[in-house]
Amino acid sequence: MTSPARKLVVTGATGKQGGALIRALLAQQQPAQPFAIYALTRDRTSKPALALAAKPGVHVIQGDFANPEAVFKQLGGKPWGLFSVTMPMDARREEAEGKAMVRAACEAGVEHIVFTATERGGQTKSDTTPTHVPHFRSKYHIEQEIRAQSTASPQEVTWTFLRPVAFYENLSDDFLGRGYVAMWRLNGLERPLQQVSTTDIGLIAADAFLNAEKEEYRNKAISLAGDELSPNDAARVFKEVTGRELPYTYAVVGRALRWMMKEQLGVMFDWFVTDDFGVDVQALRKRYPFMQDFRTWLAEESAWKKA
Ligand SMILES: NC(=O)c1ccc[n+]([C@@H]2O[C@H](COP(=O)([O-])OP(=O)(O)OC[C@H]3O[C@@H](n4cnc5c(N)ncnc54)[C@H](OP(=O)(O)O)[C@@H]3O)[C@@H](O)[C@H]2O)c1
């Protein structure tokens, strides 16, 4: 008799990172899917939620970060794992919701939590420094709550923190993407910024769940970056791959966005200049050879891949 699949709650399931994790798990070539995936959405009738519900082994559950206890009640049994994504627009709320999700998961009996946070200046600094970027600081404090809950819970709770840098996906083929590039360019056309593909975050999150008991993931934090490139590097690679100019909008729009969204974006772009991410990209690529550089992501996944 085979043992029942472990129940894995995936938050942000209809979004980039949670969606990438589910795709990575479903692509596993194992004889039996080791997880029953519980994909959280606020609206189970939305197009992405319906698409998830059609996948084998995926149960779509409806709920909100504002009421995490209700999420776990829908499982009809203990959760084994939690993939936690948080929403950064209001960092205080993000911190409160992220901590509440962790506490609810531990009370429901969770055994392994993968929390996707942000890189904060290399391994040592990220472990010890909240930074003054509001939505980096909130994630630091959620990490601290996970550490505290893992020792306070009656059952053994282990964790893996993923700490990605900026997503390639920010370069979308729309106003937001052009605005992002305009904001980035204001930091200097030759100043590099570390970036990563959310597909790779999903692959590594899947590996962390599949190997949760192994030393490499058990109570470990992993910073994630696939490339390091300046706006000029990005423009050159973009032209080589797509034959087009990297789209961006006026500097004045970039300045206005950084000013209007100071808490969410402005402080972070300033931090890229004063502090910056600190991932050892080459060492990480040795560990995860599949990690995409910008050229690969552009050619294989981006909105411009067919161009
Ligand atoms: N962009 C970057 O460069 C970057 C870099 C590092 C870290 N991050 C961090 O990544 C996180 C965002 O992850 P993502 O980009 O993968 O997300 P995303 O693509 O923006 O998707 C958001 C997901 O969260 C769900 N959601 C939103 N509000 C919710 C609520 N109140 N209750 C329950 N679910 C809710 C949405 O589900 P429904 O709509 O279906 O309800 C959706 O699945 C942020 O914390 C951000 O700071 C971003």
Side-chain angles (χ1 to χ4, degrees):
M1 209 176 96
T2 53
S3 58
R6 294 163 154 185
K7 294 179 196 294
L8 173 59
V9 175
V10 178
T11 69
T14 58
K16 292 184 281 301
Q17 299 179 89
L21 164 62
I22 293 175
R23 285 197 302 280
L25 287 173
L26 295 180
Q28 287 295 316
Q29 300 296 319
Q30 302 211 11
Q33 176 58 246
F35 302 115
I37 298 169
Y38 288 79
L40 180 68
T41 176
R42 287 164 297 173
D43 179 5
R44 59 164 24 125
T45 66
S46 73
K47 219 173 149 187
L50 290 172
L52 278 175
K55 309 268 184 214
V58 179
H59 312 268
V60 171
I61 51 174
Q62 190 163 305
D64 197 292
F65 293 154
N67 186 0
E69 290 81 9
V71 169
F72 296 100
K73 282 195 184 125
Q74 297 179 54
L75 267 53
K78 278 187 182 183
W80 171 81
L82 167 69
F83 181 67
S84 175
V85 175
T86 52
M87 286 300 102
M89 289 303 280
D90 173 344
R92 281 194 190 170
R93 183 167 164 191
E94 174 180 35
E95 183 177 330
E97 288 181 347
K99 287 178 170 178
M101 179 62 74
V102 166
R103 286 195 290 270
C106 291
E107 271 164 33
V110 82
E111 294 179 39
H112 190 73
I113 298 173
V114 175
F115 172 54
T116 179
T118 42
E119 221 285 322
R120 293 183 293 270
Q123 184 78 47
T124 312
K125 260 196 186 170
S126 294
D127 279 343
T128 54
T129 317
T131 81
H132 60 275
V133 181
H135 61 94
F136 288 15
R137 198 169 52 209
S138 45
K139 291 178 176 71
Y140 169 85
H141 289 297
I142 297 166
E143 287 183 2
Q144 298 308 308
E145 180 72 13
I146 295 172
R147 289 177 196 266
Q149 290 292 325
S150 89
T151 48
S153 293
Q155 78 278 18
E156 187 182 29
V157 181
T158 55
W159 49 264
T160 309
F161 300 151
L162 302 182
R163 293 175 176 154
V165 297
F167 299 167
Y168 297 138
E169 285 80 0
N170 296 334
L171 282 83
S172 50
D173 192 12
D174 54 17
F175 173 75
L176 279 180
R178 290 185 192 101
Y180 174 84
V181 177
M183 288 188 279
W184 178 25
R185 287 168 55 88
L186 292 171
N187 279 358
L189 297 180
E190 295 296 342
R191 174 177 287 278
L193 178 69
Q194 295 189 331
Q195 301 178 49
V196 71
S197 124
T198 54
T199 294
D200 291 344
I201 301 172
L203 286 167
I204 294 163
D207 205 41
F209 281 119
L210 290 162
N211 298 289
E213 70 296 343
K214 293 201 181 141
E215 190 59 25
E216 57 189 305
Y217 289 114
R218 198 184 149 83
N219 301 337
K220 292 284 181 332
I222 308 166
S223 295
L224 298 178
D227 210 340
E228 178 168 285
L229 66 167
S230 68
N232 276 351
D233 296 332
R236 180 178 42 76
V237 175
F238 192 91
K239 184 87 196 255
E240 285 167 13
V241 173
T242 70
R244 293 166 53 181
E245 301 298 331
L246 177 67
Y248 59 88
T249 187
Y250 304 107
V252 66
V253 176
R255 261 186 220 103
L257 285 171
R258 281 172 71 149
W259 180 76
M260 285 188 303
M261 301 194 69
K262 187 165 188 266
E263 289 290 294
Q264 294 82 5
L265 295 171
V267 177
M268 178 184 74
F269 273 99
D270 291 346
W271 182 88
F272 289 158
V273 176
T274 54
D275 296 72
D276 211 356
F277 299 127
V279 181
D280 184 341
V281 178
Q282 295 317 320
L284 196 69
R285 177 141 317 110
K286 280 197 186 127
R287 180 171 177 183
Y288 300 111
F290 57 81
M291 286 197 83
Q292 300 177 74
D293 59 12
F294 182 58
R295 181 181 295 277
T296 309
W297 175 80
L298 261 182
E300 294 182 7
E301 285 199 14
S302 76
W304 300 275
K305 68 179 175 184
K306 292 196 192 83

